[in-house]
Amino acid sequence: MNILIFGSNGLVGSSLVRKFQLQHKEINLITSTRNETDLFSLEQTKKKINDSRPDIVIIAAAKVGGIYANNTQRFNFIIDNLKISMNVFESLVEYNDTKIINIGSSCIYPLSADNPINENSLMSGKLEPTNSPYSMAKLSSLEISRTMRDQFGHKILNLMPTNLYGPNDKFEEFNSHVIPGLIFKMHRAKINKSKEVEIWGSGKPLREFMHVDDLSSAIEFLIKNEISNDILNVGSNEVVSIKELSKLIQKVIGFKGNLVFNQEYPDGNPKKLLDSTQINKLGWKSSISLEDGISNTYSWYVDNLS
């Protein structure tokens, strides 16, 4: 089996590479990084697919970032992600025997959706405003996949994971998601012996987080069992406040200072928990606890600082 992974150096892609290389020697894994294939180029994207002739394509490439990046680079987030989706899907039109696994995002669901959020909530209300451009790009990717399925007969599985974290994430102050951003700031504060760390927002929002290796195990499960659903949520079924999360990260890192919540920054959605009933009924469940996942992620971060 030939499996092509677009975005193989990123958070999701690198996790998939680790899993398949360690546990599935029977798979011919074809990686594709930003340096190897310019997904903004239709010609280069088509060439990679034509040369690879994959049985399965996993679209893990995307421009991603936290609430600050999403809200300040709105044009870049919608344009870049639309280009990636359009070029990959268009390049696969003539290959309707190739199975496609498209990695989306839980941000496609409306701000007003009832929690836990199930797949039927799609397009039932307005999007969360701070990341609506990214959300619209991911919604467009889902719609493109459905038109390909209906018009050309492609088998496309759209996965909507909850908030992911883990090794190979982006650890920065301004452009990271919440967990790698907090790890970055608290580790720096620990090394510099700072007395406090500022955390954006009130700390009250409730969020669901999942280690990226759990998503990889879900993808492995779905491939093995030849699941062909249109759309599936993938989550941990656990919710935690940003304040509780911050204290857990503080404990793992060993930072002794104070946590100061700056309410001048937006909180975003007050609560977001996915309903993963569909994939759980199929036989898959998340297995990595939040504390174990954060410990694993922090160890990787320290080991790879240079």
Side-chain angles (χ1 to χ4, degrees):
M1 181 185 293
N2 295 326
I3 297 181
L4 169 60
I5 301 176
F6 283 120
S8 57
N9 269 0
L11 173 65
V12 175
S14 62
S15 175
L16 286 165
V17 169
R18 290 194 303 271
K19 173 166 283 292
F20 287 133
Q21 285 183 340
L22 287 173
Q23 301 178 17
H24 295 279
K25 303 299 182 184
E26 76 280 7
I27 289 175
N28 177 33
L29 193 64
I30 306 160
T31 60
S32 178
T33 68
R34 184 177 302 174
N35 292 331
E36 293 168 341
T37 312
D38 180 8
L39 296 180
F40 294 159
S41 165
L42 179 59
E43 182 180 359
Q44 284 197 34
T45 308
K46 280 185 174 181
K47 185 177 188 306
K48 183 66 178 182
I49 291 168
N50 292 339
D51 291 346
S52 305
R53 295 301 174 101
D55 299 296
I56 297 174
V57 172
I58 302 175
I59 308 173
K63 179 178 177 62
V64 297
I67 188 170
Y68 180 85
N70 272 278
N71 204 27
T72 57
Q73 302 174 44
R74 299 173 69 83
F75 178 83
N76 305 79
F77 271 87
I78 190 168
I79 290 294
D80 289 357
N81 285 295
L82 280 173
K83 285 179 179 178
I84 291 169
S85 294
M86 290 171 66
N87 287 336
V88 173
F89 281 120
E90 185 173 348
S91 298
L92 285 162
V93 165
E94 61 184 279
Y95 297 105
N96 63 0
D97 56 343
T98 298
K99 184 170 183 177
I100 304 168
I101 299 176
N102 181 35
I103 311 297
S105 170
S106 61
C107 71
I108 66 168
Y109 294 115
L111 178 63
S112 59
D114 292 336
N115 281 273
I117 306 167
N118 67 43
E119 292 88 347
N120 293 327
S121 300
L122 195 68
M123 303 290 286
S124 62
K126 293 183 178 180
L127 299 169
E128 203 285 312
T130 58
N131 66 355
S132 58
Y134 177 75
S135 305
M136 287 298 297
K138 288 299 182 181
L139 279 168
S140 298
S141 175
L142 173 62
E143 189 67 13
I144 292 169
S145 78
R146 287 173 165 177
T147 62
M148 284 181 63
R149 178 199 63 200
D150 295 342
Q151 188 170 343
F152 303 111
H154 288 73
K155 292 181 180 178
I156 305 175
L157 174 57
N158 294 284
L159 299 183
M160 302 302 147
T162 192
N163 300 296
L164 299 172
Y165 67 95
N168 280 311
D169 211 334
K170 184 184 293 185
F171 296 83
E172 298 177 9
E173 183 169 1
F174 293 104
N175 295 314
S176 298
H177 288 111
V178 59
I179 288 181
L182 289 175
I183 287 175
F184 173 85
K185 292 202 284 189
M186 287 194 206
H187 179 78
R188 181 180 62 183
K190 175 185 174 182
I191 297 302
N192 294 337
K193 299 180 179 179
S194 302
K195 293 183 179 180
E196 63 181 39
V197 164
E198 181 186 78
I199 299 170
W200 299 340
S202 67
K204 295 178 182 179
L206 299 172
R207 292 288 184 272
E208 177 188 29
F209 297 94
M210 186 174 71
H211 193 283
V212 68
D213 287 351
D214 266 339
L215 176 60
S216 291
S217 76
I219 292 171
E220 175 191 42
F221 170 85
L222 294 166
I223 290 174
K224 180 180 178 181
N225 290 279
E226 299 184 354
I227 304 299
S228 57
N229 295 51
D230 170 39
I231 178 171
L232 282 174
N233 288 342
V234 188
S236 64
N237 298 317
E238 294 183 12
V239 69
V240 62
S241 73
I242 298 300
K243 186 174 183 179
E244 292 170 327
L245 172 71
S246 302
K247 289 181 177 179
L248 178 56
I249 294 173
Q250 182 182 31
K251 172 188 170 184
V252 169
I253 291 177
F255 171 61
K256 304 300 183 183
N258 296 320
L259 304 180
V260 179
F261 292 87
N262 186 345
Q263 298 190 46
E264 292 184 3
Y265 287 93
D267 277 337
N269 199 328
K271 181 179 180 180
K272 190 164 73 171
L273 170 66
L274 288 183
D275 182 351
S276 298
T277 300
Q278 282 199 55
I279 193 169
N280 293 161
K281 284 183 176 179
L282 290 169
W284 178 87
K285 288 187 178 180
S286 168
S287 63
I288 302 173
S289 72
L290 185 58
E291 183 166 358
D292 287 347
I294 289 173
S295 296
N296 163 268
T297 303
Y298 181 56
S299 295
W300 181 92
Y301 174 67
V302 171
D303 291 343
N304 291 271
L305 273 174
S306 58

